[in-house]
Amino acid sequence: MVPAKVKIFDDAMTKPQPGREHRQEIEKRIDENLKRAFDEVASEPVPDRFVDLLEKLRNQTSVPKSGDTGGSDG
């Protein structure tokens, strides 16, 4: 009996490859699905924990540390 990995490889090598039009249709569907998925995620609200974290980071960068003169270390 032929191992499964070899069988899959053989099938992939011997099956006819899709034509250009068929590949373009597949790529178009993939593009549409990726855009749809991205749009859904991008339209979700930012979780409160991330908003809180961003606020903390903003406060850290806007308040100089004690002893910091704002100059370079060089």
Side-chain angles (χ1 to χ4, degrees), residues 44-69:
E44 292 177 2
V46 176
D48 290 339
R49 64 183 180 179
F50 291 142
V51 173
D52 294 342
L53 179 60
L54 289 171
E55 185 63 29
K56 288 178 184 178
L57 289 171
R58 283 188 195 110
N59 289 337
Q60 285 179 354
T61 58
S62 64
V63 177
K65 297 178 183 175
S66 62
D68 186 7
T69 60

Side-chain angles (χ1 to χ4, degrees), residues 1-34:
M1 180 169 205
V2 177
K5 288 183 181 179
V6 174
K7 177 71 173 140
I8 292 170
F9 180 76
D10 288 344
D11 287 347
M13 296 301 291
T14 58
K15 285 186 179 179
Q17 299 298 313
R20 183 177 182 169
E21 290 179 11
H22 186 66
R23 276 189 307 217
Q24 288 175 336
E25 180 62 29
I26 291 170
E27 289 175 5
K28 180 181 172 186
R29 288 183 184 182
I30 291 171
D31 289 347
E32 290 170 352
N33 287 326
L34 286 172

